[in-house]
Amino acid sequence: MEVQIAIERYLLRCGFTADLKSGSEGGRVFRGVLDRAGIDPIMVLIWIYDWSLSKYPVIYLKEGERYYNTVSAHINWDRSLCYIAPGEVVLNAFAPESAIELCLETASRLISRFDACDPTLLTDYRDEFNAYWSNDRSRIYAVDGLVKSHYHLHIDNVKERGVWLVSPNRKEHNHLYEYFSNGNECFTAFSGAFVITSEENWPKDIKLPLPENLKEFLEWVRINSPKSLLSLVRLLSLSIFWERAYPTVIFKTQNHSLAAIFKLDMEFIESKKLTVGSLHALGGFRLYVDGNPLVKLPMIRCNVEDASVDAVYARNGSPSFQGKNILVIGAGSIGGFLVESLAMVGAGLEEGCITIIDEDYLEIGNLTRHVLGVDDLNRYKSEALQEKIEREMPYTGINGIVGDAQQNLNFEYDMIIDATGQEAFSRWLNREHLSHLMKGGNTPILYAWLEGEGTAWRTLLVDSLDDHACWECLYIHGKDGDRALRFPHSNEPVNYRHVGCKTIVPYAATAAMQAAALACEAAVDWYQGQPSPRFRGGHRSGRVYEAFSNRDLEKQEGCLACSKT
Ligand SMILES: [Zn+2]
Ligand SMILES: [Zn+2]
């Protein structure tokens, strides 16, 4: 309340008046004059609806004022000014007067750029052109750049979300590419959407109104690139373009791609007394003949988003494990989160593959600790995991094997990750691995496991026989077959739970996520040529996270596994 009063007083002092009628949606509207930064005064409305100022006040040009009917950078469709880049400026509600003054000042500076016809406005306009171009929720995700035709994005409710996919069909592509190649302009045809490439930056001019129908579109394209207009007119004379209900043109320009989807529905065809199948006869240069009904064809302006591998993985820095074959043993809690993490960092790309082997199926008790959910109950985890990753991350090569890892083990992988967390299995695997290395093999194994009741998570990389510890080196063996961890986190006994003849160690999903994250990072480091430190971990005592000294571990003298090899 204090902030609101301070802001209102300040605006009144600046000559604004409160608009009593228009505050119905919450907040208040003020009318007044922007006159900072040496500009000619200009009337605006300021709508403040968030008095904490975490949402910026909205400043609208007043009807009849200069620029009110202008298409420009930083003027939104509702005549509000885009005067602050979101996230860049934080308004301080503890100093409301200076916060509001900052808004008036910044908005005035924007107006002064308009007044001066600042050429950088065109650059800004191009940068944010997607925001202006789109007049529909539709999106085209261009998945091209893919080599295989079966790599589609699998998305449900395609129509409801207005998602259009541009999927490459090589045959069609090559055929039309040859047909249409035209200097540096070329067509690339996909199913239903035709791409015209332009070497220029679009749009050419900031004040150009955006097209609503085919006629306006032709004019808009002409101004941006006469050469592209020729390509477009040729395209419009082809029957193949008019075969589908929503013929689509995508202009791939230097700075972005944009699409025009024409609404060629039966309603339009009947209202204009057109004949399906002969629309192309009205296309081409006939479009410039007076009275051609096709020019009234309404269009959807739709943004095209790059959905290529590079774009999808862009926020990862650069993806890891491309072309690598990774075997993950165990699709339990750790294995599930691990496979998902590996896919997200890029494993399985470029002919690489994540193979998961597991023989269990998903049970009720798994639900709260597993990356899979109710949909996959009573299915084999490895198969369900494969389907989940294929559905959500379609660029990932993945293969789920149902079976026993001991019977199916081979070392023909770039890396093997043991995510079983089962001591007996890991002991067996370690012996097999040491003999693989003895015979000159070089496949590394990364072990990931939890200790205690999920209070400690560990990974160990075994990548050579030379200097470093094997998995067994982590155990001290007594005389009667008793053994203990060499580096125990805690000596607290674990409260095992017994369900039928199964033994369950209670821990929360978060413990498995910690182990999976640790393993994924260790694997990425190995991929990047930095296997050290090979022994890593983290743990907590109650609410305290304690430091674990990650290190390369030396062999244990007299290790039952590696000292005898
Ligand atoms: Zn803007
Ligand atoms: Zn050893």
Side-chain angles (χ1 to χ4, degrees), residues 360-487:
D360 281 342
Y361 50 89
L362 194 75
E363 301 171 46
I364 290 289
N366 295 132
L367 289 178
T368 54
R369 296 210 306 207
H370 208 280
V371 77
L372 295 171
V374 172
D375 278 356
D376 293 312
L377 274 176
N378 210 22
R379 296 190 61 200
Y380 286 110
K381 291 174 185 172
S382 56
E383 284 180 353
L385 206 48
Q386 176 189 329
E387 273 178 35
K388 175 186 164 74
I389 299 293
E390 278 175 343
R391 190 173 61 244
E392 294 171 3
M393 312 204 61
Y395 295 128
T396 306
I398 186 157
N399 179 28
I401 298 175
V402 179
D404 175 65
Q406 266 175 282
Q407 280 163 20
N408 291 281
L409 183 72
N410 69 66
F411 287 92
E412 282 151 27
Y413 296 92
D414 295 298
M415 170 174 256
I416 295 175
I417 306 180
D418 174 8
T420 61
Q422 287 168 15
E423 185 188 329
F425 175 81
S426 300
R427 176 163 289 121
W428 171 83
L429 180 64
N430 182 55
R431 295 295 295 266
E432 294 293 314
H433 186 219
L434 293 176
S435 75
H436 162 76
L437 294 174
M438 278 283 288
K439 289 180 216 146
N442 60 3
T443 302
I445 295 189
L446 179 68
Y447 297 86
W449 69 96
L450 290 169
E451 289 175 11
E453 292 180 14
T455 49
W457 40 96
R458 301 276 186 265
T459 61
L460 178 76
L461 176 71
V462 181
D463 58 346
S464 77
L465 281 175
D466 300 341
D467 303 314
H468 305 295
C470 78
W471 179 87
E472 196 66 63
C473 292
L474 297 175
Y475 282 86
I476 300 166
H477 287 261
K479 284 207 180 75
D480 309 318
D482 58 324
R483 77 238 174 265
L485 279 169
R486 232 170 113 202
F487 309 100

Side-chain angles (χ1 to χ4, degrees), residues 126 147 167 169 171 173 202 412 415 449 482 501 520:
R126 283 174 179 164
V147 194
S167 8
N169 173 325
K171 251 188 175 173
H173 176 117
W202 289 34
E412 282 151 27
M415 170 174 256
W449 69 96
D482 58 324
C501 44
C520 187

Side-chain angles (χ1 to χ4, degrees), residues 127-263:
D127 285 350
E128 56 185 39
F129 190 64
N130 275 355
Y132 299 103
W133 178 254
S134 165
N135 64 354
D136 193 270
R137 247 191 108 238
S138 299
R139 286 277 181 285
I140 289 181
Y141 292 113
V143 295
D144 84 271
L146 289 169
V147 194
K148 286 186 183 172
S149 57
H150 65 264
Y151 285 145
H152 294 285
L153 287 170
H154 300 262
I155 297 173
D156 291 332
N157 304 322
V158 167
K159 277 173 193 146
E160 256 172 58
R161 286 193 286 170
V163 174
W164 302 54
L165 298 175
V166 176
S167 8
N169 173 325
R170 300 222 82 186
K171 251 188 175 173
E172 209 180 348
H173 176 117
N174 294 339
H175 169 70
L176 286 152
Y177 183 88
E178 276 172 25
Y179 188 87
F180 289 110
S181 287
N182 172 14
N184 52 18
E185 301 281 347
C186 66
F187 288 99
T188 313
F190 300 122
S191 48
F194 294 79
V195 179
I196 298 177
T197 308
S198 164
E199 303 286 321
E200 287 152 285
N201 282 303
W202 289 34
K204 185 139 277 171
D205 188 352
I206 203 163
K207 295 192 176 69
L208 229 50
L210 297 174
E212 305 285 345
N213 59 34
L214 180 52
K215 181 176 191 155
E216 291 173 14
F217 187 56
L218 288 166
E219 180 58 10
W220 189 79
V221 170
R222 184 187 66 78
I223 294 170
N224 283 303
S225 162
K227 214 170 181 184
S228 296
L229 178 68
L230 277 180
S231 305
L232 177 61
V233 168
R234 280 181 77 177
L235 174 66
L236 297 177
S237 69
L238 296 175
S239 54
I240 188 176
F241 180 78
W242 300 102
E243 271 169 8
R244 292 173 177 86
Y246 289 91
T248 299
V249 187
I250 296 174
F251 277 97
K252 190 168 179 289
T253 76
Q254 276 309 291
N255 44 328
H256 45 69
S257 299
L258 47 94
I261 302 170
F262 293 97
K263 293 194 229 174

Side-chain angles (χ1 to χ4, degrees), residues 73-76 81-84 110 124 128 132:
H74 311 306
I75 300 180
N76 298 315
L81 297 174
C82 153
Y83 64 99
I84 294 186
L110 177 60
D124 289 6
E128 56 185 39
Y132 299 103

